[in-house]
Amino acid sequence: MKNYPLKIRSKRKINEKTFLFGFDISGADFTAKAGQFVNVKINKTNYPLLRRPFSVSNISEDELFIMFDIRGEGTEMLSQKETGDEVEILGALGNGFRIEDTFDTAVFIAGGIGSAPFPFLSYALKSKEIFSFVGAGAESDLITEGLPNLQISTDDGSRGFKGNVVEHFASEYSELKNRDL
């Protein structure tokens, strides 16, 4: 675990409250496993005092990606950063997902920002068949970045299955089970 001063290389607004930031890690010895997270110090000052934790959404040879929702003052401040701005990243932290090679198919089930670590996990499981069940309150809140075989649900029925993502998965389970997953 190490502190890295990293520049924002890319910034994309996914929906009204969700952002995907890419940080330049070329020249850094940063490594992470699927399921790990980083803590981000937003400013060089002590405000906000605490770092913000974010799942590693994806990583390439030279770019680290995090996805986040604006939830308070700290994430609002982070969302206002621009490409070229620098933040301090502590990580990678946590143990990550335990990946065993005893299965052929994986099923991801997530609602909202809970889908953030799954693009990196899908890369780690690239030799597996993956089904991604993703839900949100409404179509405008969906986060489907980098997820294969999407099965979408919205609470209001504006896109896909009408209901929450767990209800959607339950309705499809018997069909998936019959596929010898």
Side-chain angles (χ1 to χ4, degrees), residues 14-15 17-18 67 69 71 107-116 118 131-145 147-170:
I14 295 172
N15 61 40
K17 64 179 180 183
T18 307
M67 189 182 305
D69 279 349
R71 296 284 174 111
V107 177
F108 302 160
I109 303 172
I113 197 67
S115 65
F118 291 139
F131 292 91
S132 304
F133 285 81
V134 177
E139 182 176 15
S140 61
D141 299 327
L142 280 167
I143 300 171
T144 60
E145 293 296 309
L147 299 175
N149 295 323
L150 280 169
Q151 308 293 317
I152 293 173
S153 61
T154 53
D155 294 346
D156 67 1
S158 56
R159 182 155 171 215
F161 179 87
K162 183 177 181 174
N164 71 45
V165 70
V166 175
E167 293 167 342
H168 186 190
F169 173 72

Side-chain angles (χ1 to χ4, degrees), residues 2 4-6 9 23-30 61-63:
K2 185 175 173 185
Y4 298 89
L6 298 178
R9 177 189 272 184
F23 297 93
D24 186 356
I25 57 171
S26 58
D29 60 348
F30 185 89
E61 187 176 303
D62 60 355
E63 201 163 3

Side-chain angles (χ1 to χ4, degrees), residues 7-113:
K7 288 191 178 186
I8 299 169
R9 177 189 272 184
S10 61
K11 173 185 178 180
R12 190 158 61 89
K13 190 172 186 178
I14 295 172
N15 61 40
E16 200 56 39
K17 64 179 180 183
T18 307
F19 289 82
L20 179 67
F21 275 27
F23 297 93
D24 186 356
I25 57 171
S26 58
D29 60 348
F30 185 89
T31 60
K33 296 185 295 188
Q36 288 189 296
F37 68 97
V38 295
N39 277 332
V40 177
K41 183 175 182 191
I42 297 166
N43 288 320
K44 293 183 180 190
T45 67
N46 285 332
Y47 187 79
L49 178 62
L50 300 176
R51 294 172 181 260
R52 300 302 192 262
F54 301 104
S55 297
V56 174
S57 186
N58 217 334
I59 194 169
S60 69
E61 187 176 303
D62 60 355
E63 201 163 3
L64 160 71
F65 295 92
I66 64 167
M67 189 182 305
F68 66 93
D69 279 349
I70 297 174
R71 296 284 174 111
E73 199 170 354
T75 49
E76 174 70 36
M77 291 169 69
L78 182 58
S79 75
Q80 294 171 5
K81 297 284 185 183
E82 297 297 335
T83 56
D85 289 349
E86 189 175 274
V87 297
E88 190 175 285
I89 305 259
L90 177 66
L93 304 167
N95 295 319
F97 296 115
R98 187 179 63 166
I99 301 173
E100 297 175 1
D101 202 26
T102 59
F103 60 93
D104 295 322
T105 304
V107 177
F108 302 160
I109 303 172
I113 197 67

